[in-house]
Amino acid sequence: MCIVILAAVAILCPPLAVLCHLGCDGLVCLNLCLTTLFYLPGLFHAWYILFTYRNVYYMQPVIAAPMMTAPVATVMAAPVVSSPVVTSPVVASPVMASPVMASPVMAAPVAPMNDIDFDVKPERDEQFAKANLAAEAKEQEAEGDAPDSDDGGAQVQVVEPRVPKFSGPTNDRQKAVVDAMKHSWKGYRDYAWGHDTLKPISKGYSEWFSTGLTIIDSLDTLFIMGMDDEFADAKDWVEQELSFDKDKYVSFFEATIRLLGGLLSAFHLSGERIFLDKARDVGGRLAGAMLSPSGIAFSDVNLKTGEGKQPAWGGESSLSEVTTVQLEFRDLARVTKNSTFEKLAFKISEHIHEIGCGDHGLCGMYISPATGKFKSGSTITFGARADSYYEYLLKQWLQTGKTVDWLLEDYKKAMDGMQSQLLKNSVPNNYSFVGELLGGTTFSPKMDHLVCFLSGTLALGTANGLPKEHMDIAKKLGLTCKKMYETATGLGPEIAHFNEDSSKTQDIYIKPLDAHSLLRPEAFEAWFYLYRLTGDKQYQEWGWEAFQAIEKYARVEHGYSSVQNVKRIPVSYKDMMESFFLAESLKYLYLLFADDQTMIPLNEYVFNTEGHPLPIYDH
């Protein structure tokens, strides 16, 4: 036995050491050597782990810009799940996640792999070959002679964007919106530059992600409006100051739609490579949230380590948090030629499709990352915590060139369920609204401002072959959203309730705790789609009335502020200018007022739920 061990040391350790020298982490190599010495029957697994790790590490495409500052982000960007041989939940387990975390977590031993499926050996060998090519490319890059590809030298590393042209404002209403954007930007530039959001009353700032959120969320709005100087200023900050190497937990969903979505959109619209480099960086870090036991994403993720976790208040993720990241990660996968991003995110959608949401196609608002099951008795809503799941069913279908039939079928089933279970008319004026099912069973005539998105989504569907009935509902909901703005200030509340009692004469009532306005975009988004697809100028008039109310009651000396109560004059302020006011509200108003309604064509781009346009693909 001693002779066998010595022979193994003499024969196997040198090549392992060489391979480790080429880029594997030291602790991984130590585990491999120990496995080799003391567990020779597991030798095949050890070699498999080694090459899979190298495949993961070098799976990122070779781009001229520097690699990510932290290796963890690169690893997290292409976890082992991409390998066709890994079909079991082992990939998503917390134990498997540990080798790709930051150094404190790296001390965990390498977890044993499941048995390899030899039927897919040719595919695995091809992956290993590509990994070796990528490793060679990395070595050549270090020597200053890197090829522009990790696929045999072919020029396929990055899908170049289709850069559209924007002429700037062409009428007085658009110019007024640009002035509002400049006023917002100046206040942020003066008092919150490099921080997440502006506090315009106190001339301060607040932090959420500590990543200059307002800058990233505003990039495409600045570009579309022709604010070239401000865009150049923002680009310089992104290039010179932006770092995602922050040891803090952030919302996986919010960071994906705002940071990743904003950077990708800026790349596609401007063609500036720095935005893609930063998108790849943050995407790699955020992807760790999807490494859960079930594949359902954790709510929070650490930007530095890529570790996902649930917040202290609960063990479930909300439906919208886990099903509203697919547009962004698919686009990142396509432009970087790294399919792992798309596979991880789309696996969540596939899981929801497989377990189903009942006969009516409407899902509960909470789902567990641990079990992959919906929480029983949770509310069914098209408002907060569920809204954009339905939006992304349609938009994923569009983004993939209308090639994934079950996305469309799930969307149609959900719209049928919405009509039969949630769509009601108020008394006495028959305003259509979408309520909720509390506990999944009890109807509540409550409608969030967020639900106004549904009007635009339904309208978009009819432009792509969905029933004319959907446009009729879209128009009715668009009108209801307009009625929500008929307040003392002309601003819409966060939540409205609708009357079903024939003895009362007021259709809409607003509770005191629901009366604030964050200057949300969903009504403007709805009217943009309705005007774009019908040409009815009443939607422009509604948008202009709402914009004038914003100017009158939300504009302050150093920006725009959320309002405490839309029913009271004089108004009091919440001292917060949300990043989505610049990213969405002003963008949708600008597009609504455009003379050229072919700007950002809806058959070429799909807007993510934060208002960032991303290209449509043919597959």
Side-chain angles (χ1 to χ4, degrees):
M1 178 59 71
C2 293
I3 294 175
V4 172
I5 294 175
L6 290 173
V9 172
I11 295 172
L12 297 174
C13 284
L16 282 174
V18 170
L19 287 169
C20 292
H21 177 71
L22 292 178
C24 289
D25 186 275
L27 287 171
V28 174
C29 295
L30 177 59
N31 275 291
L32 289 171
C33 287
L34 291 174
T35 300
T36 301
L37 290 176
F38 299 109
Y39 297 100
L40 289 177
L43 177 59
F44 186 78
H45 277 173
W47 281 99
Y48 174 73
I49 293 169
L50 174 68
F51 278 103
T52 303
Y53 184 91
R54 287 184 58 76
N55 183 27
V56 168
Y57 189 87
Y58 290 114
M59 193 168 178
Q60 289 289 354
V62 179
I63 295 181
M67 296 295 289
M68 287 180 270
T69 56
V72 57
T74 306
V75 175
M76 196 61 77
V80 182
V81 71
S82 61
S83 172
V85 303
V86 182
T87 57
S88 72
V90 166
V91 178
S93 72
V95 177
M96 273 306 293
S98 59
V100 296
M101 297 301 173
S103 54
V105 188
M106 290 289 288
V110 175
M113 299 292 291
N114 277 7
D115 289 339
I116 292 174
D117 183 357
F118 287 91
D119 292 337
V120 293
K121 183 178 183 301
E123 297 177 68
R124 187 176 70 254
D125 291 342
E126 181 181 356
Q127 272 200 318
F128 290 170
K130 288 183 178 181
N132 287 334
L133 286 173
E136 293 171 7
K138 183 174 178 64
E139 291 173 2
Q140 292 174 359
E141 180 184 40
E143 297 170 2
D145 185 28
D148 194 37
S149 171
D150 65 353
D151 192 18
Q155 306 293 316
V156 296
Q157 280 296 39
V158 171
V159 176
E160 294 301 328
R162 305 188 302 264
V163 180
K165 302 296 182 184
F166 298 100
S167 60
T170 59
N171 58 57
D172 289 342
R173 289 183 176 182
Q174 277 197 316
K175 290 176 182 176
V177 176
V178 171
D179 178 74
M181 184 68 182
K182 289 185 175 182
H183 182 66
S184 304
W185 191 255
K186 185 179 186 305
Y188 174 78
R189 188 70 175 84
D190 289 346
Y191 298 106
W193 187 246
H195 300 285
D196 283 342
T197 50
L198 169 68
K199 300 177 74 172
I201 306 298
S202 58
K203 295 185 288 188
Y205 58 83
S206 62
E207 295 287 29
W208 189 15
F209 302 157
S210 300
T211 56
L213 179 59
T214 293
I215 296 176
I216 298 175
D217 227 0
S218 302
L219 286 167
D220 54 5
T221 304
L222 296 170
F223 194 80
I224 290 167
M225 291 184 179
M227 294 174 59
D228 296 340
D229 291 342
E230 292 86 349
F231 179 80
D233 201 18
K235 173 180 171 288
D236 288 344
W237 183 87
V238 169
E239 192 165 21
Q240 298 170 16
E241 303 293 335
L242 176 60
S243 171
F244 296 115
D245 198 32
K246 312 284 178 145
D247 189 12
K248 68 184 303 182
Y249 283 88
V250 301
S251 165
F252 170 58
F253 159 66
E254 294 287 0
T256 297
I257 65 173
R258 301 190 195 209
L259 299 178
L260 181 56
L263 289 165
L264 287 170
S265 181
F267 167 68
H268 287 294
L269 297 183
S270 72
E272 296 287 352
R273 189 64 159 271
I274 182 61
F275 300 129
L276 175 58
D277 294 337
K278 293 296 185 179
R280 188 178 59 162
D281 183 0
V282 73
R285 298 167 187 271
L286 295 174
M290 294 181 280
L291 298 180
S292 74
S294 68
I296 295 296
F298 292 110
S299 292
D300 298 342
V301 60
N302 188 292
L303 283 178
K304 186 177 183 68
T305 68
E307 180 184 9
K309 73 167 189 176
Q310 287 307 100
W313 54 262
E316 290 86 19
S317 297
S318 65
L319 178 64
S320 59
E321 284 177 325
V322 302
T323 58
T324 314
V325 299
Q326 286 72 25
L327 295 183
E328 297 79 5
F329 278 101
R330 178 175 291 111
D331 189 67
L332 181 62
R334 301 298 177 92
V335 295
T336 62
K337 296 292 185 179
N338 183 348
S339 63
T340 299
F341 291 119
E342 182 170 2
K343 290 176 181 177
L344 277 174
F346 196 48
K347 178 183 176 183
I348 299 172
S349 297
E350 291 174 321
H351 178 82
I352 301 293
H353 169 68
E354 289 167 4
I355 64 176
C357 294
D359 294 337
H360 46 49
L362 304 177
C363 301
M365 63 195 297
Y366 291 113
I367 188 168
S368 170
T371 66
K373 296 180 180 180
F374 283 104
K375 182 179 180 179
S376 61
S378 60
T379 293
I380 292 174
T381 178
F382 273 71
R385 300 197 174 278
D387 49 354
S388 43
Y389 160 67
Y390 304 102
E391 176 187 359
Y392 271 38
L393 284 176
L394 177 68
K395 290 184 175 180
Q396 283 197 80
W397 179 65
L398 296 175
Q399 185 192 34
T400 54
K402 305 178 183 178
T403 59
V404 185
D405 292 339
W406 63 261
L407 286 168
L408 178 62
E409 293 306 313
D410 284 2
Y411 173 75
K412 291 193 294 186
K413 184 177 181 180
M415 294 307 102
D416 290 343
M418 177 271 296
Q419 293 178 64
S420 66
Q421 303 293 317
L422 303 179
L423 184 63
K424 307 284 185 181
N425 293 319
S426 68
V427 176
N429 291 304
N430 289 316
Y431 299 135
S432 294
F433 68 95
V434 177
E436 301 179 343
L437 291 179
L438 304 178
T441 57
T442 304
F443 183 79
S444 169
K446 164 183 172 287
M447 179 169 144
D448 296 356
H449 186 282
L450 290 167
V451 180
C452 290
F453 90 90
L454 184 58
S455 172
T457 299
L458 286 166
L460 179 62
T462 62
N464 290 277
L466 275 295
K468 178 182 179 298
E469 180 184 15
H470 286 195
M471 180 60 85
D472 295 337
I473 298 171
K475 291 178 179 178
K476 291 176 181 178
L477 290 177
L479 173 61
T480 299
C481 293
K482 166 65 170 63
K483 293 299 179 181
M484 289 172 65
Y485 276 71
E486 294 181 359
T487 62
T489 59
L491 300 174
E494 183 74 358
I495 298 170
H497 287 76
F498 291 81
N499 178 44
E500 298 179 288
D501 185 348
S502 59
S503 67
K504 298 179 180 179
T505 59
Q506 184 176 341
D507 288 80
I508 300 174
Y509 56 100
I510 303 167
K511 297 181 179 181
L513 293 178
D514 302 333
H516 57 283
S517 171
L518 304 181
L519 310 182
R520 285 194 182 276
E522 289 78 21
F524 313 146
E525 174 187 358
W527 301 337
F528 158 69
Y529 280 109
L530 287 167
Y531 178 63
R532 172 72 66 94
L533 298 172
T534 69
D536 189 338
K537 290 186 177 294
Q538 74 169 336
Y539 301 114
Q540 287 187 319
E541 296 307 313
W542 293 354
W544 182 244
E545 290 175 17
F547 176 72
Q548 288 180 308
I550 291 173
E551 287 293 288
K552 185 173 183 179
Y553 293 109
R555 182 168 176 144
V556 295
E557 183 178 1
H558 301 292
Y560 291 80
S561 177
S562 300
V563 171
Q564 293 279 14
N565 193 321
V566 300
K567 300 189 296 180
R568 292 179 183 172
I569 298 174
V571 298
S572 55
Y573 298 105
K574 294 175 69 70
D575 195 17
M576 176 63 70
M577 186 174 77
E578 301 282 355
S579 71
F580 57 67
F581 176 69
L582 293 79
E584 299 182 80
S585 300
L586 293 180
K587 181 190 287 124
Y588 280 125
L589 285 168
Y590 181 83
L591 295 174
L592 171 63
F593 300 145
D595 296 319
D596 178 13
Q597 284 296 315
T598 64
M599 188 191 317
I600 312 182
L602 297 180
N603 63 341
E604 296 181 15
Y605 292 90
V606 61
F607 287 83
N608 87 335
T609 199
E610 187 73 7
H612 297 305
L614 300 173
I616 289 174
Y617 296 92
D618 61 4
H619 64 287

